[in-house]
């Protein structure tokens, strides 16, 4: 089992910055994929940024050049630096982790989610 706890959300003016943090505990490995998703009111959850199992980063087109995902495996923490925030970035931001373990003779994958941290960008 993996537990994820996000923090850092809040209210910020358009053009401002926030840094979200996600601390993972439990059966998490530095090789596990982790990422950030968001869900705006009335919309589906969407990918924001991911750190893949191979160490590559991916971003949604809408945040490229403005958001940066980073990771500190010594702290089991993944960050999302959000700069030049826009009103359309308003959403609840969720941290995710995907694990793959070889158990009982086969590979087993699991997805985990945090409880979410709200971000509101005022125009």
């Amino acid at each position: 089992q993996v537990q994820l706890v996000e923090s850092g959300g809040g209210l910020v003016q358009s053009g401002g910055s926030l840094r979200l943090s996600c601390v993972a505990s439990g059966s998490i490995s530095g090789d596990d994929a982790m990422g950030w998703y968001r869900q705006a009111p009335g919309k589906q959850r969407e990918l924001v940024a991911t750190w893949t199992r191979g160490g590559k980063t991916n971003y949604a087109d809408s945040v490229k050049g403005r958001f940066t995902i980073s990771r500190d495996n010594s702290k089991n923490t993944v960050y999302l630096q959000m700069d030049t925030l826009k009103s359309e970035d308003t959403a609840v931001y969720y941290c995710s982790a995907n694990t793959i373990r070889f158990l009982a003779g086969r590979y087993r994958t699991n997805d985990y989610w945090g409880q979410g941290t709200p971000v509101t960008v005022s125009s």
Side-chain angles (χ1 to χ4, degrees), residues 15-94:
S17 298
L18 281 176
R19 189 176 82 154
L20 306 183
S21 300
C22 172
V23 179
S25 61
S27 301
I28 192 73
S29 163
D31 294 328
D32 291 327
M34 295 189 70
W36 290 93
Y37 290 72
R38 68 186 181 187
Q39 187 166 18
K43 294 187 177 181
Q44 290 187 331
R45 190 173 298 188
E46 63 177 2
L47 179 149
V48 176
T50 59
W51 188 290
T52 71
R53 190 160 283 105
K56 294 183 179 181
T57 57
N58 295 308
Y59 296 92
D61 288 342
S62 59
V63 306
K64 282 181 181 176
R66 300 189 297 121
F67 291 11
T68 304
I69 188 171
S70 60
R71 187 165 180 168
D72 185 343
N73 286 335
S74 68
K75 298 179 180 179
N76 285 340
T77 301
V78 64
Y79 304 96
L80 185 68
Q81 177 67 40
M82 305 186 294
D83 298 318
T84 319
L85 282 161
K86 305 175 181 179
S87 57
E88 50 262 45
D89 295 318
T90 295
V92 177
Y93 284 70
Y94 297 89

